[in-house]
Structures are given as C-alpha cells and as structure tokens.
Amino acid sequence: TKAEAYSATAERQSVALRFNGAEVKGVGFEVYQNQPNPWVNRTVIGFHLPEATDVTLTVFDESGRMLYRQVGDFGKGYNAFTLDKELVQSTGLLYYQVSTSEESVTMKMIQTK
C-alpha cells in the first residue's frame, strides 16, 4: 500500500523512513546496497529518483578498471538495475557507481564464485 500521512488539519504529507537517525527532509536521489551481497549469479542494485532521468550504472574492480556500464532512462520513484555474473567477468571486491547528470553515489559489493 502507498504510505500516507496527514497533519492535524487533514493535509496530506510526505512519508519516508530512515534508520540512521538523520532528519527526514524528503526523498531525493538515493542508491541502496545491492541485494544479495555477497552475490554469486545475480544481484539487484536499487535506487530512488526524485524525478525521471537518465541513469548510468558503472562497475569497477579494485584497481579502478571499468568492468561494465549500462545506461537507462528511468521514471520517478524506485528503480533497479539487475546485474548478472556473465556481465562482470571478475570476482572479489567490486565497486558500483549509480549516476545521474547531477548526482553520483559509489558503493561496494562482493561477487563470489
């Protein structure tokens, strides 16, 4: 179901949950930890967009060598890239970067045999 909140005067308000104790000011560009992690055959990299835009996923190995890149046009809200092991010919510690024209987030993941 869609999350909704209402003020004392019955005005609709935005709802967002954060578990790190930070003050919630609205949902902007967010990149989530890949699931599962570590992964063997396939992993999903989720992200949230405040508005529709082009998004680039880039995967790097520990030395910074680019292993994979995918560009897509995504809508506002939650979206995800699915990454199969055939696309990334490397194992161990990897980095993934999810970028828009205005923002970029880099995170770690582990690909095992």
Side-chain angles (χ1 to χ4, degrees):
T1 60
K2 184 177 177 181
E4 292 184 359
Y6 295 90
S7 69
T9 59
E11 294 177 44
R12 188 182 302 193
Q13 298 179 329
S14 298
V15 175
L17 297 176
R18 300 290 182 273
F19 295 99
N20 60 5
E23 181 179 335
V24 178
K25 294 185 180 177
V27 178
F29 177 65
E30 295 182 349
V31 178
Y32 308 114
Q33 185 64 52
N34 65 299
Q35 293 293 324
N37 189 36
W39 58 284
V40 176
N41 295 317
R42 178 178 292 158
T43 191
V44 176
I45 300 169
F47 56 95
H48 181 274
L49 296 173
E51 59 187 37
T53 190
D54 289 338
V55 180
T56 303
L57 169 68
T58 310
V59 179
F60 303 94
D61 65 11
E62 287 182 280
S63 68
R65 180 175 54 114
M66 185 176 69
L67 302 174
Y68 177 74
R69 183 174 186 180
Q70 180 180 350
V71 179
D73 183 29
F74 293 93
K76 178 180 177 178
Y78 179 82
N79 297 277
F81 287 103
T82 300
L83 191 59
D84 291 321
K85 74 175 183 178
E86 291 81 22
L87 301 173
V88 179
Q89 300 295 319
S90 183
T91 59
L93 179 64
L94 303 173
Y95 296 88
Y96 61 93
Q97 183 177 65
V98 179
S99 305
T100 67
S101 61
E102 297 179 9
E103 299 181 80
S104 179
V105 174
T106 303
M107 298 182 77
K108 296 178 188 179
M109 66 179 164
I110 299 173
Q111 203 282 328
T112 60
K113 293 182 182 183

